Amino acid sequence: MVSLTGQSITYPKLTEVKKYGQRSYINIKMLLRVIGWLLMIESAFMAVPMIVGFFMKDCNWVEFLISIAITAGCGSVMMSLKPHSREMGKREAIMLTGLTWVILSLFGMLPFMLCSTRLSITDAFFETMSGYTTTGASVLNTLADVPQSILLWRCIVQWIGGLGIILFTLAVVPMLNYQGGMQLFNAEVTGITHDKLRPRVSFTAQSLWLVYIILTGILIGLLSLADINIFDAVCYGLSTMSTGGFSTSDTSVTEMENMYLKIVIAVFMFLGGVNFALIYKAACGQIKAVFRNDTLKVYLAIILVCYLIFVTNSFFHGTILNIADWTIDPLFQTISILSSTGLTEPDFHEWGPIATVLLIVMMVMGSCAGSTSGGVKIDRFIVLFKFLKNQFFQLMHPNAVTTVVINGKGTSYVTVQKTLAFLFIYIIVIMSGGVGLVLLGLPLKDSFFCALSAISNTGLGTDITGIQGNYAYVPDAAKWILSFIMLTGRLELFTILVLFTPAFWRN
């Protein structure tokens, strides 16, 4: 065909438009190349406990060196792949997010298998997935004989997974900013909507990670002032900021009679439950954004109400014996559960049924979207309750036009639909997981509580596991189910479950 200027125009064939314009194929080589980058990053993180083990004369440093060689070797092979196109769409972003968490857990479990812990494949994968998803459930019966290099690796894994593996990659691999970066960002970051702090996704990821690193550094510095060694300060700092809850000894921080230590950890568990984008804005002087944030206000109100209920409940049960029993302990417990850190007081089972019911409610609720916490997130409950309020109002005023307003802005009906769908699927996953665990021989109460604990990334257990959440006695098949539920909960359902729908794989 000839244009008005006399130049010929060649249009692509219809099949070429379908193949390259709409891209009916999945760019597997590009996916593997990015995963190769991630494996190289994971091997670099493995070097930290290896070096610590070497200088502390921990004989397990050799096993870490072997793990690094295997991980880096596989990563370099994947990075050597040459894809025909570096383009990544929504399908690649969703697949990459799910595959990344699984593959990094598979390689991250190597130290648990090779070192003196000698965990089985099932136990090692469960421990690693629990760490990356910041669930904090463990299969280790005791930490007394666990080498320090492994204790540090557990906390590093939690810290990486706290803000997100993909988000970290977006921060350190800028090329992804042009290759599906926003799709990757949306697939992993928690919450209903995702606001960019800066025009480029990589800058947003760098800003969020900068806040995360600075807060972690401050926390470790404050913990080092307490009556603990620097190693414990680092480990508790990593696991607290990620709201993961892994400890370095069988005597958890909750059993230490150190008021200063509990106050510091409680403050940073609270910050871990706040939207990091909001913390960044506050650090940049945008204080009005903090005061206008409805979710933060509700978060503070929930903490206050739950704290008062715990104190009142303890008073009537006669468990208040000293000043800590009605001040820091109930506040610590409230923030720990709401932020999904999962650290519990050793005598929590004596707090009565009201405390147990409140614990379950807080596990489901979680903290703010955009934080390191698990659960449904307070943002969704705000949308739900405002939507229900509007529905009741429309019963009396059928012609009225209403909208869900959050932070002074209207929320689209699509967002409301996504929230309702999320809550419905959340219940289905808990019920399905609970039924599966019952069929594997777990008691009914334990089955559904463990499913809830896994999807909310809290890590607490009941009778068979103990309140501190030791899953050593859970059947292997149940551990794989719980690992899947932990991953599904951390990536907020849709990113994982959509992979099992036929529509995702259609051209």
Side-chain angles (χ1 to χ4, degrees):
M1 181 179 179
V2 180
S3 66
L4 295 176
T5 59
Q7 295 177 338
S8 61
I9 301 175
T10 303
Y11 288 103
K13 296 179 180 179
L14 182 60
T15 54
E16 292 177 344
V17 172
K18 182 178 180 181
K19 185 175 180 181
Y20 298 104
Q22 299 178 3
R23 241 179 22 85
S24 59
Y25 65 95
I26 295 175
N27 198 342
I28 298 296
K29 286 188 177 181
M30 187 60 195
L31 288 179
L32 295 176
R33 183 178 172 84
V34 176
I35 291 174
W37 273 99
L38 288 162
L39 289 177
M40 297 299 291
I41 293 171
E42 184 178 38
S43 65
F45 276 108
M46 283 184 186
V48 177
M50 183 197 71
I51 295 171
V52 170
F54 177 79
F55 284 103
M56 288 188 171
K57 297 181 179 180
D58 182 346
C59 61
N60 291 273
W61 72 270
V62 177
E63 282 76 8
F64 267 98
L65 182 60
I66 296 172
S67 301
I68 291 172
I70 295 173
T71 305
C74 294
S76 61
V77 170
M78 292 183 184
M79 286 175 60
S80 65
L81 295 174
K82 303 295 183 182
H84 296 295
S85 171
R86 292 190 175 185
E87 181 186 357
M88 290 180 61
K90 183 173 291 186
R91 283 201 299 178
E92 283 89 352
I94 293 173
M95 284 187 65
L96 177 61
T97 304
L99 284 173
T100 294
W101 286 75
V102 173
I103 292 176
L104 262 66
S105 294
L106 289 172
F107 283 89
M109 73 182 189
L110 291 177
F112 294 107
M113 297 174 61
L114 300 177
C115 292
S116 58
T117 48
R118 289 293 189 272
L119 295 181
S120 64
I121 293 177
T122 298
D123 287 347
F125 184 81
F126 181 91
E127 192 80 12
T128 312
M129 182 60 75
S130 175
Y132 271 124
T133 58
T134 70
T135 304
S138 179
V139 295
L140 297 173
N141 282 317
T142 178
L143 300 179
D145 300 324
V146 177
Q148 288 184 312
S149 55
I150 285 292
L151 294 176
L152 180 58
W153 177 237
R154 293 165 84 230
C155 296
I156 289 175
V157 164
Q158 280 198 330
W159 188 75
I160 298 171
L163 205 57
I165 300 169
I166 297 296
L167 192 65
F168 182 81
T169 309
L170 289 171
V172 299
V173 186
M175 72 173 186
L176 293 179
N177 186 72
Y178 307 99
Q179 299 158 12
M182 195 62 201
Q183 287 90 343
L184 291 169
F185 184 79
N186 290 331
E188 184 181 66
V189 177
T190 61
I192 310 172
T193 58
H194 309 118
D195 298 326
K196 292 196 298 182
L197 297 174
R198 299 185 185 182
R200 291 186 179 180
V201 177
S202 59
F203 288 161
T204 298
Q206 291 167 5
S207 301
L208 294 176
W209 266 95
L210 179 63
V211 171
Y212 192 51
I213 292 170
I214 291 174
L215 288 176
T216 304
I218 294 172
L219 173 57
I220 293 173
L222 293 174
L223 290 176
S224 64
L225 300 177
D227 189 22
I228 58 175
N229 58 53
I230 187 63
F231 178 81
D232 287 340
V234 171
C235 289
Y236 280 124
L238 296 176
S239 63
T240 297
M241 201 65 247
S242 63
T243 62
F246 272 155
S247 181
T248 58
S249 66
D250 296 328
T251 304
S252 178
V253 66
T254 56
E255 300 182 47
M256 299 180 184
E257 297 299 327
N258 190 323
M259 188 77 75
Y260 169 80
L261 193 65
K262 288 186 177 181
I263 290 174
V264 170
I265 290 179
V267 169
F268 281 85
M269 284 192 300
F270 167 79
L271 292 175
V274 177
N275 190 327
F276 277 80
L278 191 64
I279 297 176
Y280 177 83
K281 291 178 181 179
C284 293
Q286 301 178 37
I287 306 300
K288 290 183 179 180
V290 177
F291 289 108
R292 287 199 305 262
N293 192 272
D294 294 337
T295 306
L296 182 61
K297 295 176 185 176
V298 175
Y299 182 35
L300 290 168
I302 292 172
I303 290 175
L304 178 60
V305 171
C306 293
Y307 162 74
L308 293 175
I309 293 175
F310 273 140
V311 171
T312 305
N313 181 67
S314 299
F315 176 79
F316 283 108
H317 276 80
T319 57
I320 295 181
L321 303 177
N322 51 56
I323 188 172
D325 290 336
W326 63 272
T327 53
I328 185 60
D329 286 352
L331 183 61
F332 184 97
Q333 192 65 79
T334 298
I335 298 174
S336 174
I337 302 303
L338 201 59
S339 65
S340 77
T341 307
L343 297 173
T344 55
E345 293 295 325
D347 60 345
F348 183 80
H349 62 280
E350 299 176 359
W351 290 21
I354 294 179
T356 303
V357 171
L358 191 59
L359 177 144
I360 293 173
V361 172
M362 289 191 294
M363 284 171 61
V364 173
M365 186 169 293
S367 298
C368 307
S371 67
T372 60
S373 67
V376 173
K377 304 294 185 300
I378 294 173
D379 308 61
R380 290 190 175 92
F381 278 102
I382 293 175
V383 171
L384 174 64
F385 286 120
K386 289 194 174 186
F387 172 74
L388 293 176
K389 178 184 175 182
N390 288 345
Q391 293 302 302
F392 283 115
F393 180 81
Q394 286 185 318
L395 286 175
M396 302 302 298
H397 306 84
N399 297 324
V401 178
T402 59
T403 185
V404 174
V405 178
I406 299 179
N407 301 329
K409 299 179 181 179
T411 303
S412 67
Y413 190 70
V414 174
T415 302
V416 176
Q417 284 182 315
K418 287 173 61 177
T419 301
L420 297 176
F422 182 93
L423 293 167
F424 182 68
I425 298 174
Y426 200 86
I427 296 172
I428 290 178
V429 173
I430 294 174
M431 298 300 293
S432 302
V435 170
L437 296 177
V438 168
L439 294 177
L440 291 172
L442 270 69
L444 183 66
K445 180 181 72 173
D446 288 359
S447 297
F448 287 94
F449 189 89
C450 288
L452 170 59
S453 180
I455 196 172
S456 64
N457 301 134
T458 306
L460 295 178
T462 51
D463 296 339
I464 193 171
T465 62
I467 192 68
Q468 297 295 341
N470 190 301
Y471 286 74
Y473 304 105
V474 173
D476 284 356
K479 290 172 186 173
W480 287 105
I481 291 176
L482 290 172
S483 297
F484 175 77
I485 296 175
M486 285 189 286
L487 178 61
T488 304
R490 173 58 183 84
L491 297 181
E492 301 217 312
L493 309 184
F494 295 112
T495 301
I496 294 298
L497 297 182
V498 72
L499 297 174
F500 298 91
T501 61
F504 179 83
W505 301 101
R506 292 198 192 105
N507 292 338

